[in-house]
Amino acid sequence: KHNNNNNNNNTHHHLTPNKSEDHHRHEELIDQDVRDVLIDAIKKGQTHRDGRRFAECRTLYETSCVSASALLPVDSDHRGRLQLAVARAESMSADRACSILKYAMDDVLRSGLTLRQGGDSQ
């Protein structure tokens, strides 16, 4: 049973993810093309991170976050999250930036999946 009505009056958006209450508003499905961009970036980025090539990893992650957010609707929470991560990462060292960007990408991928777990489709 879906309680979609409750979400509509929840208009205030928090920039800092609050683990316990955050998952309530992640009812947004993300398209396969967005998912592909992020999964691909995380795979390729891991090679850079293993080789401690953080600057290359950061560039890859940033480009992918921007590409993925461009594919999302303007009012998308996920889009906002990716853009916020890119903005925050700009002022950080490359290795720290990689962590922030990867966290945001993982978060979007994870939250985009929650809808399917709720349904019967396996």
Side-chain angles (χ1 to χ4, degrees):
K1 70 187 173 188
H2 289 289
N3 53 349
N4 289 338
N5 301 344
N6 297 350
N7 293 346
N8 298 342
N9 27 16
N10 187 4
T11 48
H12 53 273
H13 292 274
H14 299 291
L15 291 183
T16 48
N18 179 330
K19 282 284 172 276
S20 56
E21 55 184 17
D22 205 34
H23 61 265
H24 291 305
R25 49 168 244 266
H26 285 317
E27 295 211 342
E28 217 181 297
L29 268 179
I30 51 177
D31 291 337
Q32 191 59 49
D33 51 353
V34 175
R35 196 181 293 284
D36 290 343
V37 167
L38 297 177
I39 290 170
D40 194 47
I42 290 169
K43 271 192 203 137
K44 287 182 181 153
Q46 194 54 55
T47 314
H48 290 320
R49 292 179 85 170
D50 291 345
R52 303 193 68 72
R53 294 186 301 273
F54 294 117
E56 288 171 54
C57 181
R58 170 198 218 151
T59 304
L60 169 72
Y61 282 178
E62 270 180 4
T63 307
S64 303
C65 282
V66 170
S67 303
S69 75
L71 294 166
L72 289 162
V74 178
D75 60 349
S76 159
D77 282 336
H78 297 318
R79 180 181 178 138
R81 172 154 301 179
L82 291 171
Q83 289 175 339
L84 184 67
V86 169
R88 285 174 60 203
E90 279 170 10
S91 61
M92 304 193 172
S93 63
D95 61 334
R96 183 94 184 89
C98 290
S99 301
I100 290 233
L101 293 164
K102 181 172 188 301
Y103 180 81
M105 292 190 290
D106 283 340
D107 206 37
V108 167
L109 284 169
R110 213 179 20 248
S111 59
L113 284 173
T114 51
L115 263 182
R116 293 188 190 166
Q117 293 166 359
D120 301 322
S121 53
Q122 255 290 52

